[in-house]
Amino acid sequence: MTKYSRHIAVSTWSLHRVLETAALLDIPAQAAAHGIGRIEICHFHLPSTDAAYLAELKASLADSQIECLTLLIDEGDLTDPSEITRGEHVETIGKWIDVAGEIGAARARVIAGKASPDAGGEALRLSEQNLRVLARRASDRGVRVVTENWFALLDSPAEVIQLLDALDGEVGLLLDFGNWSGERKYDDLSRIAPMAESTHAKGNYDDAGNLQSDDYARCLKICADAGFQGPHSLIFDAAGDEWTEIDKLRDFVLSAP
């Protein structure tokens, strides 16, 4: 795999329309054809978790020399107020982490929690506790757990930093360009960028379908200024041919200072 392609990944989130006609097993070869060396797979895009299918997917990745960077797990709430429900969610997420191990994914992204931060810090405590359990399960399977600046619990850098510091390196950060907005966006991203291991390099588009290039360039510069060396995973979620627009994002990232 070339250095060129390893710096770039693409999420199957960006390929909803492609996956209406193509099988997930086809995506590694398509990514390679577009000069992209890594993919992220949304858990809901897996048509089966049978051992035979997972082995076939792993072989498809290997045949195209594509790395599965991340299994993106959208299920569960580690901060659910019900202890019983919370435990069920931890186990459900844990089973998806097992799947990540089976397909050779380097990482599994787990949502830290959907509760809002509270004055007593209980939501962050629950998130820390359950992420630690999942991180240790993942480690046994050769997978690293990362979380994302997403949902109310991690809607500001203070909570992101507090949570990851408490986890003391057991869980990493996937930084998403598009989950935060408004006047504070760039300052807030700058505060967490030094902790990022990978990104969701999500493009924002105007009503005419044009990439808001100033925003995209500024997010990339924030990462570069923080010394970011990890892969940027391209996120496209707008009108237009998906691979054509992904190619444009790829070229934008690779040409950035």
Side-chain angles (χ1 to χ4, degrees), residues 87-117:
E88 291 171 348
H89 288 185
V90 170
E91 182 58 23
T92 296
I93 294 167
K95 289 178 179 178
W96 281 112
I97 287 172
D98 296 347
V99 169
E102 289 295 317
I103 64 174
R107 299 179 174 97
R109 192 270 277 124
V110 176
I111 297 168
K114 299 176 181 177
S116 296

Side-chain angles (χ1 to χ4, degrees), residues 72-93:
L72 301 168
I73 303 168
D74 285 0
E75 282 200 66
D77 180 3
L78 301 183
T79 58
D80 190 280
S82 164
E83 182 177 358
I84 293 173
T85 301
R86 197 166 59 245
E88 291 171 348
H89 288 185
V90 170
E91 182 58 23
T92 296
I93 294 167

